[in-house]
Amino acid sequence: MSSPPPTASFVIVANRLPVDRVQGPDGEEIWRRSPGGLVAALEAVMHDVDGAWVGWPGQADLELAPFTADGIRLLPVTLSSRELQDYYEGFSNDTIWPLYHDVISPPQYHREWWESYVQVNQRFAERAARAASQDGTVWVHDYQLQLVPQLLRELRPDLTIGYFHHIPFPAHGLYSQLPWRDQVLRGLLGADVVGFQRGQDASNFLTAVRRRLHLDTKGTTVSVPGSVPRTVVARAFPISIDTTPYVELAARPDVRARAAEIREGLGHPKKILLGVDRLDYTKGIGHRIKAFGELLDQGTLSVEDVTLVQVASPSRERVDAYAQLRDEIELAVARINGDHDTVEHTAIRYLHQGYPREEMVALYLAADAMLVTALRDGMNLVAKEYVATRGDHRGVLVLSEFTGAADELKQAIQVNPHDIEGLKDAIMRAVAMPASEQSRRMRALRKRVLENDVNAWSHEFLVALDAVRRTR
């Protein structure tokens, strides 16, 4: 008789495993650590405890036994092609994502998508329930798995359960559009601690809980009735980045030399403006390009003096709204470049691809100003990455007030990206800012980012979760 699989005292549940399946140098398939803040945030925690990670391995219909990579025990969850279409591309990214980002794009509501979302969340919950040891801790992540906390609590009431929401949570007037609004709220309230990026997101959640479920809230807590009444904590835990690799790369001579090459390749403009985003309608890329184009049209800026580099990494290309956005952005870039390019200078260098971290740091070092003009963003870690690289205390951050980062990075030039004239003024302030003012602002920004890094974020959340466990 085979022995039961080992359990873990600490389990992460996320849509994706922290590794990607790639081809090795000899054509063999190997697992490589995924880029991204969540993996960096939790890697140290996973190595310090008896941990396991539940997630989808990134390929449809791939059935894998549990395995270990980078010292982390990984527990794969299989998703079919149809489930990826309905649960992931459908409900997660064409219903929840646009609804939670202030309906910038119209959400689609389909019952079959919801049914798939429920089924997949149940599968994740069951996998986590089998993985966690008695009285263990489970930390669930993000909008794809909002039902998991309640489903898991029903299966394993002995567990301490945390949930962190990486994207915004909408105001009640928008949230109430969701046909399954009450089910999602109950799903989240299965957790002991529900974390959000901003205080406003937590407040929106608590308002929805009061108005929809008629539960009592006090401060940052919710009283949940039942055979064993519970108190759920719901508050902000602003996420950050692992600053160390960005600081180290920015100091490397080869990366600094690459930054100089980038400036030379752009024709040595006086100023380089940089945008780095996933190609997503929430990121305000079109607003940024429009403002820059108008400054060129008016003669306020010249293509010889200022270049905009826009990195727009591919995203959800099978979703119609994203395919349409790509066409709109590329047409706008082509028109501006057609009107203003010279043989030696390009107005907008548009790069529809992703880059390794070394190249991104070189771009950050080459840029005189970073333009973060998201229409709605849970946090925006690109803003923090740019700040972390600026050890010379030069450079300017132009930051949308609709990002979570705006709550922390007060010394940035904050803008309303819907206000094109205001955005143009902010770009001109960044272009003309004296070195002394750049230094004063950037020193304060770097102090904030370096002191409140991703390790501080994960520690703060886990301390709050441990406090709940100790009061039981």
Side-chain angles (χ1 to χ4, degrees):
M1 191 168 107
S2 62
S3 60
T7 58
S9 61
F10 182 76
V11 177
I12 295 293
V13 186
N15 180 62
R16 286 290 302 270
L17 290 175
V19 292
D20 295 321
R21 201 178 200 187
V22 297
Q23 272 203 340
D26 298 322
E28 77 281 15
E29 288 190 330
I30 59 174
W31 293 96
R32 184 178 61 195
R33 197 184 84 166
S34 304
L38 180 61
V39 178
L42 299 175
E43 184 179 32
V45 177
M46 297 296 283
H47 286 144
D48 289 344
V49 299
D50 168 31
W53 189 306
V54 173
W56 173 56
Q59 185 177 330
D61 301 303
L62 182 62
E63 295 191 19
L64 295 172
F67 64 101
T68 299
D70 279 346
I72 300 174
R73 187 142 44 100
L74 304 177
L75 309 176
V77 174
T78 301
L79 298 178
S80 69
S81 298
R82 183 56 186 263
E83 286 170 335
L84 286 173
Q85 180 180 325
D86 290 350
Y87 144 79
Y88 182 69
E89 293 175 357
F91 194 81
S92 295
N93 291 327
D94 218 1
T95 300
I96 293 294
W97 180 269
L99 177 65
Y100 283 29
H101 286 85
D102 292 353
V103 194
I104 294 168
S105 178
Q108 304 296 316
Y109 303 116
H110 298 292
R111 284 170 291 182
E112 63 272 22
W113 289 1
W114 165 251
E115 290 163 3
S116 181
Y117 187 81
V118 172
Q119 291 166 5
V120 171
N121 273 243
Q122 182 72 48
R123 193 175 313 146
F124 273 83
E126 290 170 354
R127 191 69 190 85
R130 294 194 303 272
S133 59
Q134 185 68 27
D135 299 320
T137 297
V138 178
W139 193 0
V140 184
H141 286 269
D142 222 2
Y143 64 103
Q144 302 96 343
L145 303 174
Q146 292 175 100
L147 306 182
V148 167
Q150 180 197 32
L151 295 169
L152 183 57
R153 184 162 298 283
E154 291 170 355
L155 294 167
R156 292 287 305 276
D158 60 294
L159 298 175
T160 302
I161 302 170
Y163 171 88
F164 188 77
H165 197 72
H166 291 256
I167 68 173
F169 195 90
H172 183 258
L174 293 176
Y175 181 76
S176 59
Q177 294 182 21
L178 184 65
W180 308 279
R181 55 204 178 180
D182 295 355
Q183 294 96 311
V184 169
L185 292 176
R186 291 192 189 98
L188 294 172
L189 287 173
D192 295 295
V193 177
V194 183
F196 297 92
Q197 300 281 24
R198 311 181 81 168
Q200 186 60 58
D201 296 321
S203 178
N204 289 344
F205 171 74
L206 291 166
T207 298
V209 165
R210 283 194 305 272
R211 296 182 64 175
R212 295 300 320 160
L213 304 183
H214 308 293
L215 298 181
D216 292 333
T217 65
K218 183 178 181 181
T220 60
T221 63
V222 184
S223 296
V224 180
S227 56
V228 180
R230 302 168 43 243
T231 298
V232 175
V233 174
R235 68 177 182 87
F237 299 84
I239 199 170
S240 192
I241 62 168
D242 181 5
T243 57
T244 301
Y246 290 95
V247 172
E248 291 177 348
L249 283 170
R252 264 175 38 185
D254 60 322
V255 176
R256 301 184 72 81
R258 175 59 186 146
E261 284 179 7
I262 290 170
R263 293 194 72 95
E264 182 179 0
L266 293 170
H268 287 296
K270 292 178 182 176
K271 298 290 181 178
I272 295 174
L273 311 178
L274 176 63
V276 176
D277 312 87
R278 281 189 310 105
L279 188 57
D280 191 291
Y281 49 75
T282 65
K283 300 298 183 181
I285 300 171
H287 296 64
R288 182 184 315 158
I289 288 171
K290 180 177 178 62
F292 182 68
E294 287 189 9
L295 289 169
L296 292 174
D297 291 340
Q298 294 164 357
T300 310
L301 293 179
S302 72
V303 72
E304 291 83 7
D305 290 339
V306 181
T307 295
L308 171 61
V309 178
Q310 176 61 58
V311 178
S313 56
S315 175
R316 301 170 188 163
E317 296 189 297
R318 299 197 331 184
V319 178
D320 289 344
Y322 289 79
Q324 180 181 343
L325 175 67
R326 179 179 179 180
D327 291 343
E328 291 172 357
I329 296 298
E330 292 180 354
L331 181 60
V333 169
R335 284 176 174 167
I336 291 169
N337 285 346
D339 288 343
H340 296 284
D341 280 6
T342 67
V343 173
E344 296 85 8
H345 297 278
T346 294
I348 303 175
R349 183 65 60 88
Y350 177 75
L351 306 166
H352 180 59
Q353 52 197 290
Y355 290 96
R357 185 180 287 171
E358 288 84 354
E359 184 73 357
M360 291 310 307
V361 171
L363 279 165
Y364 293 149
L365 292 175
D368 299 286
M370 184 86 211
L371 307 184
V372 177
T373 58
L375 307 180
R376 193 76 167 91
D377 212 336
M379 177 52 63
N380 194 284
L381 297 179
V382 163
K384 295 187 176 185
E385 291 172 4
Y386 178 72
V387 168
T389 65
R390 304 306 306 209
D392 58 357
H393 301 124
R394 293 290 183 271
V396 183
L397 176 62
V398 176
L399 181 63
S400 166
E401 63 192 59
F402 303 122
T403 65
D407 288 355
E408 300 178 86
L409 305 183
K410 302 290 190 184
Q411 293 77 19
I413 298 176
Q414 296 203 6
V415 295
N416 172 4
H418 298 282
D419 175 9
I420 299 300
E421 288 300 325
L423 183 51
K424 288 159 63 177
D425 290 344
I427 291 172
M428 293 308 301
R429 281 183 66 194
V431 167
M433 186 176 289
S436 58
E437 185 179 353
Q438 289 183 38
S439 178
R440 176 176 57 79
R441 288 173 178 264
M442 190 57 71
R443 283 178 188 277
L445 290 169
R446 290 193 86 241
K447 184 174 188 295
R448 176 76 187 188
V449 169
L450 295 179
E451 289 180 357
N452 295 276
D453 65 1
V454 75
N455 295 316
W457 166 77
S458 60
H459 176 74
E460 183 183 9
F461 189 96
L462 293 174
V463 165
L465 205 53
D466 188 57
V468 172
R469 178 173 42 243
R470 285 187 280 107
T471 59
R472 285 181 170 175

